[in-house]
């Protein structure tokens, strides 16, 4: 089955850019997603990219997709303390059920 | 926010007792999912439903059963709770090609 991997922690200073990385194994994945989870809350969809795109920008967020290396990244520009959260990469599984496979999540800590 | 509620939000129970968690949606979405979230594992799919009375297993379905008798409700049952089922449980919904939207979660502690 699909395997999705992320690094566990990232620490940045306020105002810097953050880059969260994700690798996956299924080259036929069609949609790839980034979710944000704040403490004690559910997952909030941040953005997604379709597999025929290389990049997608949405305000401070930039998603880059390298299909050859099966690598997805999320860049957050001008990172703020409110961006501190866990970020999950998710990949749509081929086959029925509209199922997603999630990475283990990256804990982003923003320091003053 | 997608109209998803989960109940209860917190529960403490004892080993061996049955537990039922409820997910309710107001979006009339076809697909519903139950996940568990544990440190170091991210979210893992327990069961999902692709319509009323249509359900299928996910990757960690042992010890869990589900039922969906109407579009808006998806129930997750632990027939005999064990300490390894202590976790945070999330329900999600999807209309099809679009992404999944998540509920607020249920924290379950099995003593």
């Amino acid at each position: 089955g699909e395997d999705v991997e992320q690094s566990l922690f990232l620490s940045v200073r306020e105002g810097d850019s953050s880059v969260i990385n994700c690798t996956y194994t299924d080259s036929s994945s069609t949609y790839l997603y980034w979710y944000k989870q704040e403490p004690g809350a559910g997952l909030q969809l941040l953005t997604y990219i379709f597999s025929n795109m290389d990049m997608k920008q949405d305000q401070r967020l930039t998603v880059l997709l390298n299909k050859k290396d099966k690598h997805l990244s999320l860049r957050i520009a001008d990172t703020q303390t409110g961006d501190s959260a866990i970020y999950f990469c998710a990949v749509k599984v081929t086959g029925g059920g509209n199922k997603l496979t999630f990475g283990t999540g990256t804990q982003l800590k923003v320091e003053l | 926010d997608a109209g998803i509620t989960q109940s209860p939000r917190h529960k403490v129970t004892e080993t061996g007792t049955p537990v039922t968690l409820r997910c309710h949606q107001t979006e009339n979405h076809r697909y519903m999912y139950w996940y568990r979230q544990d440190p170091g594992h991210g979210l893992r799919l327990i069961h999902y439903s692709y319509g009323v009375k249509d359900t299928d297993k996910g990757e960690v379905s042992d010890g869990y059963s589900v039922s969906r008798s109407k579009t808006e409700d998806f129930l997750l049952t632990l027939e005999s709770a064990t300490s390894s089922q202590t976790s945070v449980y999330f329900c999600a919904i999807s209309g099809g090609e679009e992404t999944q939207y998540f509920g607020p979660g249920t924290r379950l502690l099995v003593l």
Side-chain angles (χ1 to χ4, degrees):
Chain A
E2 176 77 84
D3 190 24
V4 180
E5 295 193 356
Q6 301 177 237
S7 54
L8 290 180
F9 299 102
L10 176 65
S11 180
V12 299
R13 290 196 179 278
E14 189 177 41
D16 289 348
S17 292
S18 307
V19 179
I20 303 171
N21 295 300
C22 170
T23 59
Y24 59 97
T25 55
D26 186 354
S27 58
S28 60
S29 298
T30 53
Y31 287 91
L32 302 100
Y33 305 88
W34 285 103
Y35 284 86
K36 176 183 180 183
Q37 184 182 35
E38 298 184 6
L43 276 71
Q44 171 196 353
L45 177 67
L46 282 180
T47 187
Y48 67 93
I49 190 167
F50 189 57
S51 58
N52 67 352
M53 300 168 65
D54 297 324
M55 184 182 85
K56 181 179 181 182
Q57 188 155 2
D58 183 2
Q59 299 183 335
R60 292 191 297 123
L61 305 178
T62 302
V63 178
L64 295 178
L65 175 60
N66 181 328
K67 289 188 291 291
K68 174 177 172 288
D69 294 337
K70 301 191 200 63
H71 182 268
L72 182 73
S73 68
L74 174 70
R75 178 178 180 267
I76 306 172
D78 186 26
T79 311
Q80 303 297 308
T81 55
D83 295 323
S84 293
I86 301 175
Y87 291 81
F88 289 94
C89 167
V91 177
K92 185 172 180 178
V93 176
T94 53
N98 202 37
K99 293 181 286 185
L100 301 180
T101 296
F102 285 82
T104 53
T106 298
Q107 172 88 54
L108 173 64
K109 181 178 179 182
V110 182
E111 299 177 323
L112 296 172
Chain B
D1 290 340
I4 313 169
T5 56
Q6 293 184 231
S7 58
R9 294 292 314 278
H10 300 86
K11 186 169 182 66
V12 180
T13 192
E14 293 187 347
T15 298
T17 59
V19 176
T20 295
L21 308 182
R22 179 181 183 237
C23 177
H24 178 77
Q25 61 146 330
T26 57
E27 306 296 320
N28 201 36
H29 280 346
R30 176 184 177 190
Y31 296 94
M32 298 185 76
Y33 310 82
W34 276 109
Y35 292 88
R36 60 178 290 173
Q37 182 179 20
D38 305 288
H41 291 279
L43 273 79
R44 293 180 290 175
L45 182 66
I46 304 171
H47 282 280
Y48 69 101
S49 168
Y50 46 97
V52 173
K53 292 188 175 23
D54 291 324
T55 65
D56 204 351
K57 296 179 179 180
E59 63 175 301
V60 290
S61 59
D62 288 348
Y64 302 94
S65 63
V66 290
S67 66
R68 192 167 177 204
S69 59
K70 44 187 179 176
T71 300
E72 56 266 36
D73 289 325
F74 192 32
L75 304 181
L76 176 70
T77 297
L78 292 65
E79 301 289 349
S80 178
T82 67
S83 57
S84 64
Q85 294 176 311
T86 291
S87 186
V88 181
Y89 291 87
F90 287 101
C91 174
I93 64 174
S94 172
E97 286 300 311
E98 64 216 62
T99 189
Q100 295 179 17
Y101 299 95
F102 283 78
T106 294
R107 291 186 175 274
L108 177 66
L109 174 61
V110 183
L111 299 174

